[in-house]
Amino acid sequence: MDSRFASEKVIEEFESLTKNAKRVQIETLQKILKENGEAEYLKKWNLDGRFDPQTYSSCVPVVTHKDLEPYIQKIADGASHPVLTGKAITTITLSSGTTQGKPKFVPYNDELTETTMQIYRTSFAFRNREFPIDNGKALSFIYGSKQFTTKGGLLAGTATTNVYRSAQFKKTMRAMQTPCCSPDEVIFGPDFHQSLYCHLLCGLIFHEEIQVISSTFAHSIVHSFRTFELVWEELCSDIRNGVLSAKITVPSIRTAMGKVLTPNPELADKIHRKCLGLTDWNGLIHEVFPNCKYIYGIMTGSMEMYLKKLRHYAGKVRLLSADYGSSEGWIGANVNPNMPPERTTYAVLPNIGYFEFLPLREIDMASRDQDEPDFTFCPVEPKPVGLTDVQIGEEYEVVITNFAGLYRYRLGDVVKVIGFHNATPELQFVCRRNLMLTINIDKNTEKDLQLSVEAAAKLLAAEKLEVVDFTSHVDIASEPGHYVIFWEVSGEASDKVLKECCNCLDKSFVDAGYVSSRKVKAIGPLELRVLRRGTFQKILDHYVGLGSALNQFKTPRCVTPVNHRVLQILCDNVAKSYISTTFG
Ligand code: AMP
C-alpha cells in the first residue's frame, strides 16, 4: 500500500479513537476485564461480571509492583492456572532496572506487541506527514539483550528484545520504509561493544541511504557517536580493505558482516576526509549521513541532558522525540513532530490500556521509601481520576491497567497535562516520582536534580567542558547527612571551576525544605565528586551484564544502598571531590 495513503488511514483511526476517548476507555476496560475474568487476581476482588469503571475502581485497589510481585513470580515459576490473565503468559519482560537499581519482572503477551506497533504506526504517520521518508534505511542502535528461561520455563528478556524478535516489528519497519541497515546477527549479537561497532560500520556503508538515525533513548545515540569518535579510523580502514576488524570475534556477526563489507577505498577516503574536516565533531551526522531526515529517540525526562551533545553531533539534522512507554506498556504517541524535543507531548491512545491519574498534589511527596511509593504517609488517600477527567496544568502519577495482567498499577512516573488532542490528554513527561533526594524535610525530585546540574554545568561550558553524565546519592553515613553529586566531565577542569560548580549545585536546590535544613545545618554541605573518565561506561557495562539492553539504558539518577554495586563503582572511581561552602 502507498505509504502516504496508509499514514492517512492511521491518522483517521487515531482521530476517531481520541474523539471518543471516554467511550473507548470504557470499552477497553470492559474488554480487559472480560478476557481476564477467570484470573486468580481478578476473582479475588469479586467483580461478579461487572466491568464498569465505577465498580472497577471501588473493588480493585491501586497497587505497586511490590503488590503484584508474588503473582508475577507464580507465573514465572510456571503456575498452571490463570494468575493475572485468562490466557497463559508465556513471556516475561525484564524491566531495565536502571531507575530503581534492580530489574523487575513484568508479564508480556502478544497484545503488548500489538499496542507497540500501534504506537509506532501512529507517531510515524504524523511524522511522515511533516518529514516524509522515501524508501530509505535506518541506522538504528538497537540491541537484543540476553534472554533466559525462568524456573517455570517462560522466556524472559527486556521489552525491546521481545519487540525486536517479533515478526510484526520487521513488518512495521518495512512499512515505514526504514528497515534497519544492520543484519539481525548484529542486533542480536551477544556482545554489545561488537554490535555497536558493526552498527556504525553498516551505517557508513549505507550512508547515502540512511534517512533516519534512531534508538529507544537519546542516551544510546550519543553513546554511539562518542564511540564513533574513538573508532572512526578503524571503521575507515575496514571499509578500505573490505576486512572486518579482528576485534569482532563473534562468528555469526563476522559471517553476516562479510556479506555487506566489500573493499571500497573511495568510500573510505570520502568518510576520512569528511571526518577530518569537522571541528570537534560538530555536525558529524549531517556531514556523514547527508540524506538523514531526522534523529529519533526518546529525548524527554532524564534524556534531556543529552540533547546538547546530540545537537552538536546532528548539525542541521532535526531531532524528534519518540513516544512514551515503559516495560509495563505504552502510554502515548508524539503526534506533534514539529515541537522541539524539550517540549514534546504525548497523546494517550485510549484503546491500548485503561488509564487513571493520581493527582500529585494529594500525594505526600515526603514518602521516605525510595523503592516504592507509599500511601501510608498520605493525609488523604489520593483518588485517581479517569483519562478524560484530568485538568490542564495539573501533574499526576500514571496508573495503568493493561492487557497483560496489570490492574491499577502505579507506574511511578509524573506527567503534566499540557492540553488535549480531541478528548485525550497530551502529557508532558516530568520525572520519575520515586527518585528523590531527601534527608530531612527536603524533597528534591529527578527534575530538581537535573535543573541543579544544568545550572552548574553552565560554569563548565564557559571552559568548553561538559558533564558527560551524572548521578546522585544521599550520604547519611555521617551526621548530618548530605547530598553527593557524581559527575563525569569531558576533560580536565580546574579546581577553581569545580569548586564553583559544587557551590552552584548546592544553591540551585531551591526547595524550601532543603534551603532551611542547610541553613540550620540539619543537612551538611553538598559534595561534588568528580569521576574518572569511563566510569559511566563501567556502570552501563554492569547493567548490560545483568541482562539490560543497551538501548533501554537510563543512567540511574539517584543511587541508593540497595544498588551497592553501582555505588561501589562510583566510589572506586572518584578522582577529586569538593565540599560546598554555600551557606557558610
Ligand atoms: P523501562 O521500562 O525500564 O525501559 O523504562 C520505562 C521508563 O522510561 C518510563 O517509566 C519512564 O520513566 C521512562 N520513559 C519512557 N518513555 C519516556 C519518554 N518519552 N520521556 C521520558 N521518559 C520516558
Side-chain angles (χ1 to χ4, degrees), residues 198-341:
C198 293
H199 275 316
L200 290 169
L201 190 54
C202 291
L204 294 182
I205 295 169
F206 297 108
H207 74 296
E208 282 186 337
E209 288 163 72
I210 301 295
Q211 293 191 19
V212 176
I213 292 182
S214 71
S215 189
T216 315
F217 288 100
H219 168 272
S220 173
I221 308 176
V222 169
H223 177 260
S224 306
F225 285 102
R226 283 194 200 277
T227 306
F228 182 90
E229 286 188 32
L230 304 175
V231 299
W232 69 280
E233 281 176 302
E234 205 174 346
L235 291 166
C236 286
S237 143
D238 287 7
I239 295 174
R240 183 179 320 282
N241 304 317
V243 180
L244 188 60
S245 159
K247 72 183 182 191
I248 308 301
T249 55
V250 178
S252 58
I253 299 187
R254 289 200 71 88
T255 310
M257 288 301 294
K259 293 181 189 147
V260 284
L261 184 64
T262 47
N264 192 340
E266 296 79 41
L267 176 60
D269 284 345
K270 181 170 149 193
I271 291 164
H272 203 269
R273 232 181 6 257
K274 281 178 187 279
C275 288
L276 283 184
L278 293 169
T279 310
D280 196 22
W281 301 101
N282 196 357
L284 161 67
I285 295 177
H286 175 69
E287 197 54 42
V288 175
F289 305 97
N291 299 315
C292 182
K293 305 251 169 73
Y294 50 82
I295 298 166
Y296 187 66
I298 292 170
M299 296 177 186
T300 44
S302 63
M303 295 298 135
E304 266 180 47
M305 84 146 270
Y306 307 109
L307 287 179
K308 191 163 172 243
K309 189 71 183 174
L310 195 51
R311 287 200 167 99
H312 178 82
Y313 285 134
K316 289 182 195 145
V317 183
R318 74 175 58 75
L319 308 187
L320 296 183
S321 182
D323 308 311
Y324 171 32
S326 67
S327 302
E328 288 87 343
W330 286 95
I331 294 126
N334 175 5
V335 297
N336 301 309
N338 269 316
M339 281 282 173

Side-chain angles (χ1 to χ4, degrees), residues 430-577:
V430 178
C431 61
R432 297 286 302 182
R433 206 202 133 232
N434 42 11
L435 279 186
M436 184 125 55
L437 289 167
T438 174
I439 291 176
N440 185 16
I441 51 165
D442 51 313
K443 302 157 204 160
N444 280 301
T445 64
E446 181 186 11
K447 185 84 196 173
D448 299 321
L449 171 65
Q450 187 184 319
L451 292 173
S452 170
V453 170
E454 274 171 12
K458 286 200 181 114
L459 302 172
L460 272 189
E463 309 277 302
K464 300 217 171 338
L465 291 170
E466 60 191 349
V467 178
V468 174
D469 221 332
F470 68 94
T471 188
S472 67
H473 172 60
V474 164
D475 186 348
I476 45 167
S478 54
E479 271 289 325
H482 67 284
Y483 291 6
V484 178
I485 311 293
F486 293 94
W487 268 14
E488 187 175 320
V489 178
S490 59
E492 276 298 310
S494 68
D495 284 341
K496 182 170 169 283
V497 169
L498 289 168
K499 184 123 203 65
E500 282 168 20
C501 289
C502 179
N503 286 340
C504 179
L505 282 166
D506 203 6
K507 65 168 184 276
S508 301
F509 285 108
V510 290
D511 151 60
Y514 184 74
V515 175
S516 59
S517 300
R518 283 284 289 115
K519 281 187 181 153
V520 299
K521 301 196 173 13
I523 295 181
L526 180 144
E527 188 182 350
L528 169 63
R529 296 190 193 162
V530 180
L531 300 163
R532 293 195 191 95
R533 287 305 306 273
T535 305
F536 281 98
Q537 175 71 45
K538 287 186 185 160
I539 291 173
L540 192 152
D541 289 345
H542 163 72
Y543 278 107
V544 172
L546 288 181
S548 171
L550 181 60
N551 49 270
Q552 250 177 282
F553 179 78
K554 298 172 276 309
T555 299
R557 294 291 183 222
C558 182
V559 181
T560 64
V562 176
N563 214 340
H564 60 271
R565 181 67 199 116
V566 173
L567 199 52
Q568 197 185 341
I569 297 174
L570 290 166
C571 294
D572 288 351
N573 285 283
V574 176
K576 291 174 185 175
S577 76

